[in-house]
Every structure is written in structure tokens, then in C-alpha cells.
Amino acid sequence: MSSFHEKKRVNFRKNCTFAKKNNLKIAVNTRLLLPNKLEGIGWVMYETLRRMVADHPEVEFVFFFDRKPDPKYIFGDNVTPVTLIPQARHPFLFILYFELAVTRALRQLRPDVFYSPDGYLSLRTDIPSIAHFHDLSFEHFPNDIPALPLWHYRKYFPQYAQKAERIITVSEFSKKDICDCYGTNPDKIDVVYNGANELFTPLPQTEQQQIRQKYTEGKNYFLFVGALHPRKNLARLFRAYDRFRLKTGLDTKLVIVGEKRWWTGEIKEAYEGLTYKQDVVFLGHLSAEELHSVTASAFASVYVSYFEGFGIPIVEAFRCKVPVITSDVTSMPEVASDAALLVDPFNETDIAEAMIKIQDETLRNSLVEKAWKRKDVFSWNNAASQIWHVISTVAKK
């Protein structure tokens, strides 16, 4: 089976011959750069790679896609897109894609480094490889993941950790977790914090009111942003929201941004049992521009996941001067510091009480002031620069 579309073969070999012999050549796994479907790791790829490509025009980048790439993700003339098959959207196809297609491409290209922003590597290549791990939630909450993906994660990610020349991860918490779970030497791991899109800025009150009018009949709303996955803790958030409404009598709504890919029995049951479910608004997937408007118009962001490697929505809310309620576990206290209300994500009463506390204007202003200073710790420019430092160090070795 060929790893490449037949029509790509000639152009691929032609494009792999670069002008300057001494230029660095970096191969990158970019399979999550999908139009209108960027979430989580896809946004990390987009924000960091486009900066690295622009900052290093002397470097040749080869982007590995598993389907025809959108031209907007070819960030510069120094990028060569290569389409590999099969499409990697299933555990067995992951194996074919990374162990056959990627391996063969790396053998032909002979890049200086293979960088994988979603952590998946080829175990059969001798090319120095860098894995970007975001979290190991599957090691701690296996019941949240279907059996086949769980088998793949647990079989291959320990091998990726061993295979990688360097590992990049997104928080000190995740670094320690990788060391604890896989026995990885901490000196092999670089912590690079995520950033948030510069688009996320405060909105004038008049524009906020227009957004509220559009989505929540002009009412204030709490905001949740993220994949509707069990570890995002939506079932408890729903029940906490009901407690808040029953205790305060306020008509604040709850807006949920994210696709219902993981609409499990527990989440569905919690939602169906709500007294105020008519005031829960599902917006699905939003563009970056729409998400900015919805975030900046929220009364507060409620991000009470019980496991995160980082938590980009926290920083997005910080940048919009929106107060944040988040969890006191895993990476979230590290990201939020003292600029958010921290709660026990396993305690619905604790979450509901925080939703009540954050009604206090003095507290809200204090959190926003701290968050506005805290936001500068997290920058995509910094992240891209730090990732490039790791890549170039490995390449020059």
C-alpha cells in the first residue's frame, strides 16, 4: 500500500529537494489543522506553527496532512504540504498512518527533526523526534474514554514518551504527571505554556448587550467552553447551575460552547433532570470571532473540569476581563493562580456557592484586575519561540 496519493509522488520528490543544503528541514505532524474544526490542540498547532514559519523563512517546513490541506494552513513559501494516507481518525488507522505512512515519508525526506504537536510519533523512524504532550487524562480517568481509543493511548503513549528526543508539555503539573506515569527523566521535558488568541479583548457594554440579546434574550449568562467530554464535568455543572438558580432566584442563563460528541448518559441525564434546562443555551462550535464575542459578553466563565493539562478558556476569559470560576485540581490552579475563584470540581455545592459569590461586584473587580495582569504570562508568541528553541536545539545536535 502506498503512503502517498499517486498524483503526489512526482511533486513530493521534487519538493523535497531544497535549495540550500545547510538549511534546517523540519517535518511536522499537522493532521489536526482542519478547516472550521479547530479545537484545543488544533488551535495550538495553528497559533504556534504560523508564527514559527513566519519567524524562520530560512527553514524548510514539511507539513504532514491526512487529507487535502486547506491553503490557509500553508503558512508560507517555506512550507511544503504532503498528504499521507490513510486518514488517521481511528486507533487502527493511527497505527497505519504513523507507523507506515509517516515512517516512509520521514525515510524519504530525511528531515533534521520530526515534531508532533499532538504527541503521536513514529516508533519505526531514526529521525530525532519531539512529542508535544498536552495531558494524560486517560491514565487517570479511563472510564471516560471508549475501550479502543483507551487501549491505543495506553499502549502507545508510554512508547512515545520513551522514543522522543524531547517532550514538550503545557504545564508543570503535566510535566510531573508524565514523570510519575512513565518514569520519564524530568530533564527531558520542557514546559511551554499555551497562549490565547489576541482577538480576545474586552468589549464595550453596548456590544456586550447586543450579544446577550442575540443569544440569551438580553440576560446575563455563565459561560462554559470546551468539548462536551465527561472530564469537562458538565453533569456537575448542570446540577450546580440548578442549585444556583433555586437558591438565588436570579434569571442568569448558562451558555455551553462545544460540540456534543461525548453526550454521554450521565451528562444527558443531568441535563434532562434540570429544573431550569430551558435556560441552558447550546451554541455548538463557534468561529474564533464568535467565541470572542460570546466570551467577552459573559457574566463569568465557569470552567470546572476535573482534569486539564492547561485550560485555554481560562486565559481567554482573562483577556476579555471576564471573571473566572475554575477547579482547584491538576493544572488549573497553576494557570489561574489567585486570579480566579477555585472550587472543588467534585462538589456541586462548592461550584454553586462560587456562582453565588461571584455576584459580588467588589470580588468580580478584584478577580478581573488580577487576571488582567496574569494574562501576560500566556502568549502564543512566547510559546512559538520556546517551541522553536526546543526544535532547533534538537536539530543542531
Side-chain angles (χ1 to χ4, degrees):
M1 180 183 69
S2 173
S3 299
F4 304 98
H5 293 304
E6 290 297 328
K7 64 182 180 181
K8 297 281 186 182
R9 283 186 175 178
V10 174
N11 286 337
F12 169 69
R13 288 192 174 130
K14 178 182 178 182
N15 288 334
C16 289
T17 304
F18 297 107
K20 295 183 180 180
K21 184 178 179 181
N22 293 327
N23 275 6
L24 290 180
K25 188 192 303 184
I26 310 300
V28 187
N29 163 27
T30 53
R31 69 186 183 91
L32 296 184
L33 289 179
L34 300 171
N36 304 315
K37 292 185 179 180
L38 290 187
E39 289 184 345
I41 299 172
W43 277 115
V44 176
M45 287 186 185
Y46 175 79
E47 295 289 359
T48 56
L49 289 174
R50 69 187 180 93
R51 287 170 167 81
M52 282 190 277
V53 167
D55 290 346
H56 301 282
E58 78 286 357
V59 174
E60 301 291 349
F61 292 89
V62 183
F63 284 4
F64 292 162
F65 295 91
D66 70 349
R67 63 198 67 197
K68 183 179 179 180
D70 190 304
K72 68 185 175 186
Y73 298 134
I74 313 306
F75 301 124
D77 293 338
N78 54 333
V79 174
T80 299
V82 175
T83 301
L84 307 178
I85 58 172
Q87 292 186 1
R89 294 294 179 271
H90 181 279
F92 292 143
L93 296 179
F94 292 159
I95 297 170
L96 291 175
Y97 185 80
F98 287 99
E99 297 308 318
L100 294 181
V102 170
T103 301
R104 180 173 181 233
L106 292 173
R107 186 183 306 124
Q108 292 182 347
L109 281 163
R110 303 307 301 173
D112 297 284
V113 169
F114 174 52
Y115 167 54
S116 183
D118 67 4
Y120 291 75
L121 297 179
S122 163
L123 299 174
R124 294 153 54 92
T125 186
D126 61 352
I127 300 297
S129 300
I130 299 170
H132 198 144
F133 284 5
H134 298 266
D135 67 67
L136 302 181
S137 59
F138 54 87
E139 297 287 5
H140 303 278
F141 296 96
N143 293 335
D144 289 350
I145 300 171
L148 197 53
L150 177 64
W151 165 82
H152 185 271
Y153 289 146
R154 287 187 152 183
K155 176 177 174 61
Y156 282 94
F157 269 78
Q159 296 181 69
Y160 296 154
Q162 183 176 5
K163 171 72 175 178
E165 183 83 11
R166 302 291 303 173
I167 296 171
I168 297 170
T169 195
V170 294
S171 62
E172 293 293 343
F173 164 77
S174 283
K175 177 176 179 175
K176 183 177 185 303
D177 200 30
I178 294 165
C179 295
D180 291 346
C181 287
Y182 299 150
T184 306
N185 185 335
D187 293 339
K188 179 178 173 176
I189 304 175
D190 300 283
V191 174
V192 177
Y193 284 142
N194 290 326
N197 194 320
E198 290 88 348
L199 183 68
F200 285 78
T201 55
L203 281 182
Q205 286 294 331
T206 52
E207 292 186 38
Q208 291 185 38
Q209 187 54 39
Q210 290 171 3
I211 296 299
R212 289 193 288 267
Q213 201 63 49
K214 179 178 180 180
Y215 292 113
T216 59
E217 302 172 332
K219 305 291 178 59
N220 283 338
Y221 59 87
F222 293 110
L223 175 67
F224 165 84
V225 178
L228 275 58
H229 185 280
R231 71 183 169 100
K232 300 296 183 179
N233 209 24
L234 280 168
R236 290 187 183 87
L237 174 58
F238 287 151
R239 291 190 287 264
Y241 172 68
D242 237 20
R243 289 172 183 248
F244 162 80
R245 290 291 301 269
L246 289 166
K247 191 164 184 177
T248 65
L250 296 172
D251 59 1
T252 307
K253 292 183 181 285
L254 175 61
V255 171
I256 306 294
V257 177
E259 294 184 2
K260 292 184 178 180
R261 289 188 210 155
W262 302 83
W263 192 246
T264 63
E266 183 186 8
I267 298 173
K268 183 178 180 181
E269 182 181 342
Y271 171 70
E272 293 296 343
L274 289 178
T275 302
Y276 296 97
K277 69 179 178 181
Q278 74 278 4
D279 289 326
V280 179
V281 181
F282 294 92
L283 299 186
H285 182 271
L286 298 180
S287 68
E289 292 77 14
E290 292 169 321
L291 181 57
H292 162 237
S293 296
V294 169
T295 299
S297 304
F299 184 77
S301 171
V302 186
Y303 192 75
V304 289
S305 171
Y306 51 73
F307 196 100
E308 290 294 331
F310 185 81
I312 290 175
I314 296 171
V315 182
E316 290 172 342
F318 281 3
R319 291 184 59 87
C320 292
K321 291 191 171 181
V322 170
V324 173
I325 298 168
T326 194
S327 303
D328 63 1
V329 297
T330 67
S331 68
M332 288 163 281
E334 180 182 340
V335 173
S337 188
D338 64 347
L341 275 185
L342 300 180
V343 299
D344 177 357
F346 299 101
N347 188 325
E348 294 159 20
T349 301
D350 203 19
I351 299 169
E353 288 298 322
M355 296 167 91
I356 295 170
K357 287 178 185 175
I358 213 160
Q359 306 298 314
D360 181 83
E361 188 172 356
T362 301
L363 175 60
R364 290 168 54 78
N365 290 339
S366 173
L367 291 175
V368 166
E369 182 180 352
K370 292 175 181 177
W372 190 248
K373 296 175 182 176
R374 179 74 177 156
K375 77 181 192 314
D376 293 329
V377 173
F378 311 104
S379 156
W380 285 128
N381 286 332
N382 290 342
S385 176
Q386 291 168 27
I387 292 169
W388 175 251
H389 176 74
V390 177
I391 292 172
S392 61
T393 300
V394 171
K396 290 172 182 176
K397 282 177 67 177

